[in-house]
Amino acid sequence: MTEIDAQVDLLHPANRVWHALTDLGLLARWFTEVEQMAGQRDRLLLFTAGLPGFDAAVDAEVADRREPELIALRCLEGGRRSRLTCEVAPTAEGSRLSVREVLEHGSWTEEQRARREESYRQALAGRLPAILDWLAFRQVDLRRGEAGMTIELPAVAFGDAPAPPGRRRPLLVAGVAGVVLAAGAGAWAVLPADPEPVAGPDPAASPTATAAASRTAKPTLSARPTRTATSATPRPSRTPTAKPSRTATPSASPAPAVTARYATVSTRFLGYTGEVVVDNPGGASAKGWTVVVTLAEGGTVTEASGADWRQEGQAVTFTGPPVPAGRSRTFTFAVRDGDPLTKAPEGCALGATPCAGL
Protein backbone atom coordinates (compact mmCIF):
# COMPACT_ATOMS: atom_id res chain seq x y z
CA MET A 1 0.00 0.00 0.00
CA THR A 2 1.54 3.29 -1.13
CA GLU A 3 1.27 6.40 1.02
CA ILE A 4 2.09 10.08 0.72
CA ASP A 5 2.63 12.21 3.82
CA ALA A 6 3.20 15.96 4.05
CA GLN A 7 2.82 18.42 6.90
CA VAL A 8 3.53 22.04 7.73
CA ASP A 9 3.63 24.13 10.93
CA LEU A 10 1.73 27.40 10.51
CA LEU A 11 1.71 30.61 12.54
CA HIS A 12 -2.08 30.79 12.33
CA PRO A 13 -4.92 29.44 14.49
CA ALA A 14 -6.67 26.21 13.57
CA ASN A 15 -9.98 27.86 12.64
CA ARG A 16 -8.27 30.06 10.04
CA VAL A 17 -6.44 27.07 8.54
CA TRP A 18 -9.73 25.15 8.44
CA HIS A 19 -11.36 28.02 6.59
CA ALA A 20 -8.60 28.04 3.93
CA LEU A 21 -8.87 24.25 3.69
CA THR A 22 -12.64 23.98 3.22
CA ASP A 23 -13.64 27.21 1.43
CA LEU A 24 -13.70 26.30 -2.29
CA GLY A 25 -12.73 29.79 -3.43
CA LEU A 26 -9.69 29.89 -1.13
CA LEU A 27 -8.72 26.31 -1.94
CA ALA A 28 -8.50 27.30 -5.60
CA ARG A 29 -5.99 30.01 -4.71
CA TRP A 30 -3.46 27.80 -2.95
CA PHE A 31 -4.02 24.27 -4.32
CA THR A 32 -6.42 23.77 -7.25
CA GLU A 33 -9.87 24.75 -8.49
CA VAL A 34 -12.73 22.73 -7.00
CA GLU A 35 -16.32 22.38 -8.15
CA GLN A 36 -19.21 21.02 -6.08
CA MET A 37 -21.33 18.45 -7.89
CA ALA A 38 -24.84 19.74 -8.63
CA GLY A 39 -27.25 18.65 -5.92
CA GLN A 40 -24.60 16.70 -4.02
CA ARG A 41 -23.10 18.61 -1.12
CA ASP A 42 -20.45 15.98 -0.32
CA ARG A 43 -19.29 15.33 -3.92
CA LEU A 44 -16.46 17.45 -5.30
CA LEU A 45 -14.47 17.60 -8.53
CA LEU A 46 -10.83 18.68 -8.10
CA PHE A 47 -9.26 20.00 -11.34
CA THR A 48 -5.80 18.52 -10.70
CA ALA A 49 -4.99 17.35 -14.25
CA GLY A 50 -2.27 19.99 -14.71
CA LEU A 51 -0.52 19.43 -11.37
CA PRO A 52 2.72 17.38 -11.16
CA GLY A 53 1.95 13.77 -10.22
CA PHE A 54 -1.73 13.92 -11.26
CA ASP A 55 -3.06 12.31 -14.45
CA ALA A 56 -6.61 13.66 -14.41
CA ALA A 57 -9.23 15.47 -12.36
CA VAL A 58 -10.10 13.85 -9.04
CA ASP A 59 -13.70 12.83 -8.26
CA ALA A 60 -13.88 13.11 -4.47
CA GLU A 61 -16.54 12.32 -1.87
CA VAL A 62 -16.42 13.53 1.75
CA ALA A 63 -16.09 10.43 3.93
CA ASP A 64 -15.50 12.13 7.30
CA ARG A 65 -15.66 15.72 8.53
CA ARG A 66 -14.98 16.99 12.06
CA GLU A 67 -14.70 20.78 12.11
CA PRO A 68 -12.18 22.28 12.65
CA GLU A 69 -9.79 19.34 12.93
CA LEU A 70 -10.32 16.69 10.24
CA ILE A 71 -11.71 16.13 6.76
CA ALA A 72 -11.31 12.88 4.79
CA LEU A 73 -12.09 12.30 1.09
CA ARG A 74 -12.54 9.13 -0.95
CA CYS A 75 -10.86 9.92 -4.27
CA LEU A 76 -11.17 8.40 -7.74
CA GLU A 77 -8.59 9.42 -10.37
CA GLY A 78 -7.76 7.65 -13.62
CA GLY A 79 -8.83 4.20 -12.38
CA ARG A 80 -7.06 4.60 -9.02
CA ARG A 81 -8.81 4.87 -5.64
CA SER A 82 -7.27 6.57 -2.63
CA ARG A 83 -8.21 8.13 0.70
CA LEU A 84 -7.01 11.69 1.35
CA THR A 85 -7.04 12.90 4.98
CA CYS A 86 -6.28 16.44 6.20
CA GLU A 87 -5.85 17.02 9.94
CA VAL A 88 -5.46 20.37 11.73
CA ALA A 89 -3.98 20.33 15.24
CA PRO A 90 -3.34 23.37 17.49
CA THR A 91 0.27 24.09 18.52
CA ALA A 92 1.90 26.62 20.85
CA GLU A 93 2.75 28.88 17.90
CA GLY A 94 -0.40 28.32 15.82
CA SER A 95 -1.36 25.00 14.23
CA ARG A 96 -0.06 22.02 12.26
CA LEU A 97 -1.67 20.77 9.04
CA SER A 98 -0.97 17.14 8.08
CA VAL A 99 -1.97 15.69 4.70
CA ARG A 100 -1.94 11.92 4.12
CA GLU A 101 -3.04 10.09 0.98
CA VAL A 102 -3.28 6.30 1.02
CA LEU A 103 -3.61 4.42 -2.27
CA GLU A 104 -6.31 1.69 -1.91
CA HIS A 105 -6.57 0.46 -5.51
CA GLY A 106 -4.17 0.83 -8.45
CA SER A 107 -0.59 2.03 -8.34
CA TRP A 108 1.74 5.00 -8.84
CA THR A 109 5.16 4.84 -10.37
CA GLU A 110 7.90 5.97 -8.03
CA GLU A 111 8.40 9.13 -10.07
CA GLN A 112 4.68 9.91 -10.06
CA ARG A 113 4.42 9.37 -6.31
CA ALA A 114 7.42 11.66 -5.70
CA ARG A 115 6.04 14.42 -7.96
CA ARG A 116 2.60 14.13 -6.32
CA GLU A 117 4.12 14.47 -2.87
CA GLU A 118 6.12 17.50 -4.06
CA SER A 119 2.89 19.13 -5.27
CA TYR A 120 1.41 18.79 -1.79
CA ARG A 121 4.56 20.12 -0.11
CA GLN A 122 4.83 23.17 -2.38
CA ALA A 123 1.18 24.05 -1.80
CA LEU A 124 1.43 23.61 1.98
CA ALA A 125 4.76 25.36 2.51
CA GLY A 126 4.44 28.11 -0.12
CA ARG A 127 1.01 29.16 -1.33
CA LEU A 128 -1.05 28.25 1.76
CA PRO A 129 0.95 30.51 4.17
CA ALA A 130 0.52 33.43 1.73
CA ILE A 131 -3.28 32.93 1.71
CA LEU A 132 -3.36 32.67 5.51
CA ASP A 133 -1.36 35.90 5.83
CA TRP A 134 -3.86 37.57 3.49
CA LEU A 135 -6.79 36.30 5.60
CA ALA A 136 -5.08 37.52 8.78
CA PHE A 137 -4.56 40.97 7.26
CA ARG A 138 -8.29 41.23 6.54
CA GLN A 139 -9.01 40.59 10.22
CA VAL A 140 -6.66 43.29 11.54
CA ASP A 141 -8.43 45.91 13.67
CA LEU A 142 -5.95 48.50 14.94
CA ARG A 143 -7.07 51.23 17.32
CA ARG A 144 -6.93 54.86 16.30
CA GLY A 145 -4.53 57.29 17.93
CA GLU A 146 -1.12 55.84 17.19
CA ALA A 147 1.41 58.30 15.79
CA GLY A 148 2.07 58.15 12.09
CA MET A 149 -1.33 56.79 11.05
CA THR A 150 -2.40 58.80 8.03
CA ILE A 151 -4.89 56.61 6.14
CA GLU A 152 -8.13 55.12 7.44
CA LEU A 153 -9.82 52.25 5.66
CA PRO A 154 -13.04 50.44 6.61
CA ALA A 155 -12.53 47.14 8.41
CA VAL A 156 -13.46 44.02 6.45
CA ALA A 157 -15.61 41.56 8.38
CA PHE A 158 -14.45 37.94 8.30
CA GLY A 159 -16.71 34.91 8.35
CA ASP A 160 -20.13 35.28 9.98
CA ALA A 161 -18.99 37.27 13.02
CA PRO A 162 -21.13 40.46 13.23
CA ALA A 163 -19.58 43.83 13.93
CA PRO A 164 -20.35 45.38 17.34
CA PRO A 165 -23.60 47.40 17.17
CA GLY A 166 -23.52 51.16 17.01
CA ARG A 167 -19.96 51.63 15.89
CA ARG A 168 -17.75 51.09 12.85
CA ARG A 169 -14.34 49.57 13.36
CA PRO A 170 -11.63 51.38 11.43
CA LEU A 171 -8.63 49.74 9.91
CA LEU A 172 -5.72 52.13 10.23
CA VAL A 173 -2.92 51.74 7.82
CA ALA A 174 0.34 53.64 8.04
CA GLY A 175 0.73 55.91 5.02
CA VAL A 176 3.75 55.21 2.91
CA ALA A 177 5.23 57.86 0.65
CA GLY A 178 7.16 55.88 -1.92
CA VAL A 179 6.43 57.85 -5.05
CA VAL A 180 9.30 59.09 -7.20
CA LEU A 181 8.40 62.21 -9.21
CA ALA A 182 9.19 61.90 -12.89
CA ALA A 183 11.52 64.39 -14.49
CA GLY A 184 8.87 65.21 -17.08
CA ALA A 185 6.10 63.65 -19.13
CA GLY A 186 7.08 64.68 -22.65
CA ALA A 187 4.80 63.53 -25.43
CA TRP A 188 6.26 61.31 -28.12
CA ALA A 189 6.13 61.92 -31.84
CA VAL A 190 7.69 60.43 -34.94
CA LEU A 191 9.02 62.37 -37.93
CA PRO A 192 8.90 60.45 -41.25
CA ALA A 193 11.93 60.13 -43.48
CA ASP A 194 12.43 62.66 -46.29
CA PRO A 195 10.86 61.38 -49.55
CA GLU A 196 12.45 61.40 -52.98
CA PRO A 197 12.16 64.76 -54.86
CA VAL A 198 9.16 65.10 -57.16
CA ALA A 199 10.06 65.10 -60.87
CA GLY A 200 9.50 68.47 -62.57
CA PRO A 201 10.89 70.88 -65.12
CA ASP A 202 13.69 71.95 -62.84
CA PRO A 203 14.88 69.07 -60.61
CA ALA A 204 17.31 71.32 -58.73
CA ALA A 205 14.58 73.73 -57.63
CA SER A 206 11.89 71.31 -56.36
CA PRO A 207 13.31 69.15 -53.46
CA THR A 208 12.67 71.78 -50.79
CA ALA A 209 9.05 72.26 -51.78
CA THR A 210 8.48 68.52 -52.16
CA ALA A 211 9.88 67.73 -48.70
CA ALA A 212 7.77 70.47 -47.15
CA ALA A 213 4.62 69.16 -48.83
CA SER A 214 5.19 65.57 -47.63
CA ARG A 215 5.42 66.67 -43.99
CA THR A 216 2.19 68.65 -43.91
CA ALA A 217 -1.42 67.67 -44.47
CA LYS A 218 -1.96 70.52 -46.94
CA PRO A 219 0.52 72.38 -49.15
CA THR A 220 1.22 75.94 -48.09
CA LEU A 221 0.68 78.88 -50.44
CA SER A 222 4.32 79.84 -50.22
CA ALA A 223 5.32 76.52 -51.75
CA ARG A 224 3.45 77.08 -55.02
CA PRO A 225 5.69 79.82 -56.56
CA THR A 226 8.71 77.63 -55.94
CA ARG A 227 7.14 74.71 -57.77
CA THR A 228 6.19 76.78 -60.86
CA ALA A 229 8.94 79.36 -61.05
CA THR A 230 10.34 77.95 -64.30
CA SER A 231 7.00 77.38 -66.05
CA ALA A 232 5.67 79.85 -68.63
CA THR A 233 2.14 78.45 -68.97
CA PRO A 234 -0.84 80.71 -68.09
CA ARG A 235 -1.66 78.52 -65.02
CA PRO A 236 1.73 77.18 -64.02
CA SER A 237 0.66 75.54 -60.77
CA ARG A 238 -1.81 72.97 -62.08
CA THR A 239 0.47 70.29 -63.40
CA PRO A 240 3.17 70.11 -60.68
CA THR A 241 1.03 71.04 -57.62
CA ALA A 242 -2.38 69.53 -58.30
CA LYS A 243 -2.08 67.00 -55.45
CA PRO A 244 1.36 67.16 -53.85
CA SER A 245 0.62 64.60 -51.14
CA ARG A 246 -0.41 61.95 -53.69
CA THR A 247 2.67 62.61 -55.81
CA ALA A 248 4.92 61.93 -52.80
CA THR A 249 3.13 58.75 -51.67
CA PRO A 250 4.57 56.32 -54.26
CA SER A 251 8.15 57.36 -53.52
CA ALA A 252 8.07 57.13 -49.71
CA SER A 253 5.62 55.90 -47.00
CA PRO A 254 5.36 57.32 -43.46
CA ALA A 255 7.73 55.77 -40.95
CA PRO A 256 6.11 53.22 -38.57
CA ALA A 257 5.03 54.64 -35.22
CA VAL A 258 6.82 53.88 -31.97
CA THR A 259 5.25 50.85 -30.27
CA ALA A 260 5.42 49.16 -26.87
CA ARG A 261 5.09 45.55 -25.77
CA TYR A 262 4.50 44.19 -22.23
CA ALA A 263 5.57 40.91 -20.57
CA THR A 264 5.49 39.56 -17.01
CA VAL A 265 9.08 38.41 -16.47
CA SER A 266 8.73 36.94 -12.97
CA THR A 267 6.05 36.24 -10.36
CA ARG A 268 5.97 35.74 -6.62
CA PHE A 269 3.43 35.57 -3.84
CA LEU A 270 1.50 38.84 -3.69
CA GLY A 271 3.39 40.42 -6.59
CA TYR A 272 5.18 40.23 -9.92
CA THR A 273 7.76 42.02 -12.11
CA GLY A 274 6.68 43.53 -15.43
CA GLU A 275 8.76 44.57 -18.43
CA VAL A 276 7.92 47.02 -21.23
CA VAL A 277 9.98 47.35 -24.42
CA VAL A 278 9.57 50.57 -26.44
CA ASP A 279 10.47 49.96 -30.11
CA ASN A 280 11.22 52.56 -32.80
CA PRO A 281 11.33 50.78 -36.17
CA GLY A 282 11.14 54.09 -38.09
CA GLY A 283 13.75 55.99 -39.99
CA ALA A 284 13.98 58.94 -37.62
CA SER A 285 14.70 59.30 -33.92
CA ALA A 286 11.55 59.48 -31.78
CA LYS A 287 11.04 62.14 -29.16
CA GLY A 288 10.61 61.28 -25.47
CA TRP A 289 7.89 58.67 -24.84
CA THR A 290 5.22 58.09 -22.18
CA VAL A 291 3.81 54.70 -21.19
CA VAL A 292 0.87 54.46 -18.75
CA VAL A 293 0.39 51.15 -16.92
CA THR A 294 -2.90 50.52 -15.10
CA LEU A 295 -2.49 48.23 -12.09
CA ALA A 296 -5.19 46.13 -10.44
CA GLU A 297 -6.90 47.82 -7.50
CA GLY A 298 -4.58 47.80 -4.48
CA GLY A 299 -1.42 47.28 -6.55
CA THR A 300 1.68 49.38 -5.81
CA VAL A 301 4.92 49.81 -7.75
CA THR A 302 7.79 49.37 -5.29
CA GLU A 303 10.70 50.01 -7.67
CA ALA A 304 11.47 50.53 -11.36
CA SER A 305 14.54 50.71 -13.58
CA GLY A 306 15.07 52.12 -17.05
CA ALA A 307 12.49 54.92 -16.80
CA ASP A 308 11.24 57.73 -14.59
CA TRP A 309 7.88 56.96 -12.99
CA ARG A 310 5.11 58.21 -10.76
CA GLN A 311 1.94 56.51 -9.47
CA GLU A 312 -1.46 58.12 -9.03
CA GLY A 313 -4.05 55.62 -7.87
CA GLN A 314 -4.01 52.63 -10.20
CA ALA A 315 -2.23 54.54 -13.00
CA VAL A 316 1.58 54.48 -13.15
CA THR A 317 3.20 56.84 -15.69
CA PHE A 318 6.64 55.92 -17.08
CA THR A 319 8.67 58.37 -19.18
CA GLY A 320 12.01 58.07 -20.93
CA PRO A 321 14.48 59.71 -23.34
CA PRO A 322 14.28 59.59 -27.16
CA VAL A 323 14.58 56.21 -28.86
CA PRO A 324 16.99 56.23 -31.85
CA ALA A 325 15.68 54.93 -35.16
CA GLY A 326 15.83 51.16 -35.38
CA ARG A 327 16.51 50.82 -31.64
CA SER A 328 14.50 50.04 -28.50
CA ARG A 329 14.51 50.86 -24.80
CA THR A 330 13.45 48.52 -21.99
CA PHE A 331 12.23 49.29 -18.48
CA THR A 332 11.08 46.99 -15.68
CA PHE A 333 8.98 47.55 -12.57
CA ALA A 334 8.13 45.51 -9.46
CA VAL A 335 4.53 45.40 -8.22
CA ARG A 336 3.25 44.47 -4.78
CA ASP A 337 -0.38 43.30 -4.94
CA GLY A 338 -2.76 42.14 -2.22
CA ASP A 339 -4.35 39.47 -4.45
CA PRO A 340 -2.15 36.37 -4.90
CA LEU A 341 -3.78 35.66 -8.28
CA THR A 342 -2.84 39.00 -9.87
CA LYS A 343 0.24 38.52 -12.06
CA ALA A 344 -0.16 41.31 -14.65
CA PRO A 345 -1.53 44.86 -14.87
CA GLU A 346 -5.04 45.59 -16.12
CA GLY A 347 -3.79 47.82 -18.95
CA CYS A 348 -0.77 49.30 -20.70
CA ALA A 349 -0.64 51.99 -23.40
CA LEU A 350 1.94 54.14 -25.18
CA GLY A 351 0.01 57.32 -25.84
CA ALA A 352 -3.30 56.12 -27.29
CA THR A 353 -1.86 52.80 -28.56
CA PRO A 354 -2.29 49.71 -26.34
CA CYS A 355 0.84 47.70 -25.56
CA ALA A 356 1.20 44.36 -27.31
CA GLY A 357 1.32 41.21 -25.19
CA LEU A 358 -1.33 42.23 -22.65
Side-chain angles (χ1 to χ4, degrees):
M1 185 177 293
T2 305
E3 299 181 3
I4 292 177
D5 287 291
Q7 69 177 28
V8 61
D9 289 320
L10 302 161
L11 300 177
H12 295 272
N15 63 339
R16 185 178 297 147
V17 176
W18 178 264
H19 183 53
L21 185 65
T22 57
D23 184 282
L24 300 189
L26 294 176
L27 190 59
R29 295 189 174 204
W30 67 269
F31 182 54
T32 190
E33 292 187 11
V34 182
E35 181 180 292
Q36 187 172 348
M37 298 289 192
Q40 303 182 62
R41 181 181 178 183
D42 292 335
R43 288 287 299 281
L44 305 170
L45 184 63
L46 283 69
F47 296 93
T48 53
L51 296 179
F54 290 83
D55 293 333
V58 174
D59 185 348
E61 181 180 7
V62 178
D64 193 5
R65 178 187 176 106
R66 298 195 296 272
E67 185 175 351
E69 58 187 45
L70 181 142
I71 185 169
L73 304 175
R74 285 191 293 266
C75 301
L76 179 63
E77 178 220 357
R80 290 183 291 267
R81 291 199 306 269
S82 63
R83 184 181 180 90
L84 179 65
T85 305
C86 303
E87 293 186 75
V88 184
T91 63
E93 294 78 16
S95 58
R96 173 175 297 166
L97 173 59
S98 301
V99 175
R100 184 170 184 247
E101 185 173 16
V102 178
L103 192 60
E104 298 176 338
H105 176 76
S107 62
W108 296 316
T109 65
E110 185 59 31
E111 180 184 2
Q112 186 178 29
R113 191 203 69 81
R115 296 183 67 201
R116 196 180 186 99
E117 184 175 25
E118 185 62 23
S119 289
Y120 287 131
R121 292 188 185 279
Q122 289 181 356
L124 295 179
R127 295 186 293 274
L128 176 58
I131 289 296
L132 293 172
D133 290 344
W134 177 69
L135 287 174
F137 176 77
R138 295 181 65 195
Q139 291 180 290
V140 171
D141 182 16
L142 302 177
R143 299 300 179 185
R144 189 171 179 80
E146 295 189 12
M149 297 297 187
T150 59
I151 302 177
E152 181 174 337
L153 300 176
V156 180
F158 175 78
D160 298 325
R167 62 178 297 185
R168 184 180 182 183
R169 299 190 299 175
L171 173 63
L172 301 178
V173 182
V176 179
V179 179
V180 179
L181 295 180
W188 60 270
V190 179
L191 296 179
D194 288 347
E196 294 293 330
V198 179
D202 186 359
S206 59
T208 303
T210 304
S214 66
R215 299 191 182 196
T216 59
K218 297 180 181 180
T220 60
L221 294 177
S222 60
R224 292 186 179 178
T226 305
R227 290 174 175 268
T228 60
T230 59
S231 176
T233 59
R235 302 183 68 180
S237 62
R238 283 192 177 273
T239 302
T241 62
K243 291 184 178 180
S245 61
R246 295 191 179 181
T247 304
T249 300
S251 59
S253 58
V258 173
T259 60
R261 43 195 167 92
Y262 171 83
T264 297
V265 295
S266 65
T267 61
R268 55 192 172 278
F269 301 118
L270 303 180
Y272 60 93
T273 298
E275 177 185 86
V276 175
V277 180
V278 180
D279 293 307
N280 178 18
S285 180
K287 294 182 180 180
W289 46 266
T290 298
V291 172
V292 177
V293 174
T294 303
L295 303 180
E297 185 175 359
T300 303
V301 171
T302 57
E303 61 178 341
S305 62
D308 294 322
W309 64 281
R310 70 177 184 276
Q311 180 170 355
E312 297 178 0
Q314 293 178 242
V316 186
T317 302
F318 297 89
T319 57
V323 181
R327 302 290 295 277
S328 63
R329 291 189 183 276
T330 302
F331 67 88
T332 59
F333 55 95
V335 176
R336 182 177 64 245
D337 199 289
D339 188 343
L341 295 184
T342 302
K343 301 304 177 188
E346 292 183 352
C348 172
L350 191 154
T353 305
C355 301
L358 187 63

